[in-house]
Amino acid sequence: DAGVIQSPRHEVTEMGQEVTLRCKPISGHDYLFWYRQTMMRGLELLIYFNNNVPIDDSGMPEDRFSAKMPNASFSTLKIQPSEPRDSAVYFCASSPTSGAMWGEQFFGPGTRLTVL
Amino acid sequence: AQKITQTQPGMFVQEKEAVTLDCTYDTSDPSYGLFWYKQPSSGEMIFLIYQGSYDQQNATEGRYSLNFQKARKSANLVISASQLGDSAMYFCAMREVNNAGNMLTFGGGTRLMVKP
């Protein structure tokens, strides 16, 4: 069974450009999470979805960031326009609603974003 | 207040020795789950072990065990017989049942370095 899939794995772009990060969660998982990881701030939750509906986006840093989940198997995180301070590793994770370890999140490999 | 505190930013351990990574948490929720993740230099987040607040016994998974002291609100990770491949960042995380979604709150992490 495939895990969480993210693309691209690496992205280098110039300031002002639009960046779109993609995520395919594990089939059957009801929750999808977007995180950002930096040395300074650690692992930050940006937004999460339940059954394709955004539940909490309070972690989204500003209006330049937006996330969508048009269906159960696909989500995007978009940054427009991008800035150098957006450089980070962006993780997508998914989680089932129930199970012995409810709450366990399965992480994708991450997208390393560099904004020049 | 920090919900998850990892007080050791970095630690060294000699190969084949045991090591304990500290984690304290803060919650008023009687039902919660505690997780440990490993992040090697390659960047992926790997689930290690889970402890439920009502579990009677400390969780164990191979060389990993969780020293759960509920009254002290601590959930320390013990790695026995350290291996060079254990060198990584380790994150403690918590999910509270009253949390509206399957959100995990992460600590700042501990970098473990295993010496040959």
Side-chain angles (χ1 to χ4, degrees):
Chain A
D1 187 22
V4 176
I5 299 172
Q6 290 187 249
S7 65
R9 294 293 307 277
H10 302 272
E11 177 81 28
V12 180
T13 190
E14 293 189 345
M15 183 173 64
Q17 296 297 306
E18 176 180 297
V19 175
T20 299
L21 311 181
R22 297 172 176 80
C23 175
K24 177 179 168 55
I26 293 172
S27 177
H29 282 189
D30 299 329
Y31 287 86
L32 184 139
F33 306 81
W34 282 101
Y35 290 91
R36 177 172 68 175
Q37 187 178 35
T38 61
M39 289 291 292
M40 290 295 293
R41 301 173 70 92
L43 200 61
E44 302 174 276
L45 177 66
L46 300 177
I47 184 171
Y48 78 94
F49 296 82
N50 179 215
N51 292 322
N52 313 338
V53 176
I55 303 299
D56 188 341
D57 65 354
S58 59
M60 296 284 259
E62 49 198 272
D63 291 345
R64 298 185 297 106
F65 285 69
S66 62
K68 294 181 180 180
M69 192 165 186
N71 57 63
S73 59
F74 184 66
S75 177
T76 60
L77 177 68
K78 186 176 293 187
I79 308 172
Q80 166 64 19
S82 58
E83 296 182 2
R85 59 193 168 120
D86 301 330
S87 297
V89 178
Y90 291 81
F91 286 102
C92 175
S94 70
S95 177
T97 301
S98 61
M101 292 186 291
W102 48 261
E104 180 193 351
Q105 294 181 10
F106 296 79
F107 281 76
T111 295
R112 183 174 294 277
L113 173 65
T114 302
V115 182
L116 303 175
Chain B
Q2 292 275 358
K3 285 208 172 228
I4 297 285
T5 302
Q6 295 181 253
T7 57
Q8 307 149 312
M11 289 187 69
F12 284 95
V13 64
Q14 197 68 42
E15 192 178 9
K16 300 181 184 177
E17 292 186 350
V19 63
T20 298
L21 307 183
D22 295 341
C23 173
T24 57
Y25 58 91
D26 182 25
T27 181
S28 57
D29 194 331
S31 182
Y32 50 90
L34 297 158
F35 302 79
W36 277 91
Y37 284 83
K38 172 184 179 181
Q39 186 177 40
S41 58
S42 51
E44 71 269 32
M45 294 285 283
I46 303 166
F47 166 76
L48 294 177
I49 196 168
Y50 164 83
Q51 179 84 43
S53 59
Y54 291 120
D55 292 345
Q56 295 297 312
Q57 294 187 332
N58 286 346
T60 61
E61 287 287 345
R63 294 186 299 110
Y64 304 108
S65 61
L66 206 151
N67 183 0
F68 181 47
Q69 298 186 48
K70 196 169 180 178
R72 300 178 65 178
K73 294 188 175 179
S74 74
N76 299 340
L77 176 70
V78 180
I79 305 174
S80 63
S82 297
Q83 302 172 357
L84 296 178
D86 294 333
S87 295
M89 281 290 288
Y90 289 81
F91 292 94
C92 179
M94 176 175 65
R95 194 246 175 182
E96 298 161 286
V97 79
N98 285 332
N99 189 321
N102 275 6
M103 285 175 58
L104 290 180
T105 304
F106 283 85
T110 295
R111 181 172 298 281
L112 177 66
M113 292 151 282
V114 181
K115 297 186 290 185

